[in-house]
Amino acid sequence: MGGLEQLKEWVEESSNIVFFGGAGVSTESGIPDFRSVDGLYNQQYDYPPETIISHSFYKKHPEEFFRFYKDRMVFTGAKPNAAHRVLARWEEEGKLRAVVTQNIDGLHQAAGSREVMELHGSIHRNYCTRCGRFYGLEEILAMDGVPRCGCGGTIKPDVVLYEEGLDQGILQKAVSYIRHADMLIIGGTSLVVYPAAGLVNYYQGNKLVIVNKSVTPVDNQADLVVTGKIGEVFSKLMEE
Ligand code: NAD
């Protein structure tokens, strides 16, 4: 695993790390990503995943949307892996300022991270589209088919679907953290989903690190590329 020693040294020196991650951060927790060969996009469904998890599909075919969503996007048994745990520890130690994630699984918070910008929302928050009442994950999973509120409205997960915009407040906060970071570590993301992928352009420092299993479009801009599984790489960082 080339570059590990360099990464270790930079982490030791740093007090303002920002981490920006995606689905690859949670694959070692048993949640499939979208674009690996065994990821969601390569499994067989009547429609491609990006069609099913779009706003128009959700409106037109809510039954099918929730069938896919509950079956393929919610993994209740998943536990944080070493990558989530190390990031939480760095925050505790005052090395890391924030985690910016495209994931919706809540595993960073489960590991103890506090400053987490969830660009694409979370499966753990659900709201009635009519009266706004809040529902937790367990409650909607216990409902068959399309989850409905007592008022008759549909309950929608607080997850950003394709065709929907990102929360501007969260995006601005993420931009600000990245702009001021002394080190930006990007991990487990194919960096192809916009506008999230464009965040890397706000980084102004000289320690841009990519930790990913496969090549990304920003490898050539990076100061260091570590190729490997992020949970394994991060566990090695903690070894003496
Ligand atoms: P992606 O599926 O497009 O890309 C995942 C990337 O991570 C790939 O480059 C892959 O090579 C890499 N990867 C996979 N396992 C890895 C590992 N163990 N270590 C290091 N790298 C690894 O994911 P994306 O870029 O996050 O974009 C897809 C969208 O899918 C996001 O918007 C996200 O909201 C959503 N999504 C979320 C989850 C989740 O919450 N866990 C899961 C699937 C998809």
Side-chain angles (χ1 to χ4, degrees):
M1 226 175 266
L4 207 65
E5 283 310 310
Q6 178 68 84
L7 178 55
K8 215 171 186 172
E9 206 180 297
W10 283 353
V11 169
E12 269 157 29
E13 291 167 0
S14 183
S15 61
N16 187 352
I17 302 171
V18 171
F19 179 82
F20 173 41
V25 175
S26 295
T27 53
E28 287 161 271
S29 295
I31 303 179
D33 65 10
F34 276 6
R35 289 179 188 79
S36 292
V37 276
D38 53 351
L40 272 178
Y41 277 31
N42 293 290
Q43 298 174 9
Q44 287 299 303
Y45 294 98
D46 291 347
Y47 303 90
E50 69 263 65
T51 302
I52 304 180
I53 52 176
S54 67
H55 185 79
S56 45
F57 191 93
Y58 158 79
K59 293 296 270 186
K60 238 188 275 165
H61 311 282
E63 292 282 346
E64 186 63 4
F65 170 86
F66 277 106
R67 199 170 66 83
F68 179 88
Y69 178 78
K70 289 180 184 177
D71 189 37
R72 296 289 150 182
M73 298 193 62
V74 175
F75 296 84
T76 47
K79 300 268 183 305
N81 64 53
H84 300 103
R85 288 195 298 271
V86 168
L87 291 166
R89 183 170 339 164
W90 286 346
E91 184 179 9
E92 184 74 37
E93 292 171 351
K95 295 195 150 304
L96 178 136
R97 296 281 169 92
V99 168
V100 179
T101 183
Q102 299 165 83
N103 293 349
I104 56 175
D105 54 35
L107 290 183
H108 286 294
Q109 291 90 336
S113 284
R114 289 183 302 264
E115 193 63 352
V116 183
M117 261 116 280
E118 293 175 311
L119 297 174
H120 295 161
S122 173
I123 57 170
H124 297 285
R125 297 185 298 267
N126 303 275
Y127 295 94
C128 172
T129 50
R130 187 181 292 172
C131 73
R133 186 179 154 192
F134 173 85
Y135 287 85
L137 179 61
E138 295 305 326
E139 287 175 284
I140 71 151
L141 291 181
M143 299 179 195
D144 281 336
V146 179
R148 298 243 181 243
C149 181
C151 80
T154 303
I155 304 167
K156 184 177 181 288
D158 186 14
V159 161
V160 181
L161 304 177
Y162 286 95
E163 304 160 356
E164 293 179 342
L166 268 57
D167 180 311
Q168 288 305 305
I170 296 175
L171 195 58
Q172 280 316 312
K173 236 175 131 182
V175 165
S176 174
Y177 272 119
I178 290 173
R179 211 196 284 276
H180 298 109
D182 63 10
M183 171 159 163
L184 177 64
I185 307 179
I186 300 179
T189 171
S190 58
L191 288 170
V192 296
V193 180
Y194 279 84
L199 281 175
V200 51
N201 299 323
Y202 291 96
Y203 177 61
Q204 298 175 326
N206 58 0
K207 289 172 188 158
L208 174 61
V209 182
I210 311 278
V211 183
N212 215 62
K213 227 171 57 173
S214 57
V215 291
T216 80
V218 285
D219 283 8
N220 55 359
Q221 266 171 260
D223 300 293
L224 181 64
V225 177
V226 181
T227 304
K229 289 189 174 179
I230 192 159
E232 287 176 13
V233 173
F234 275 37
S235 331
K236 290 211 172 76
L237 286 179
M238 300 315 281
E239 288 168 7
E240 290 311 314

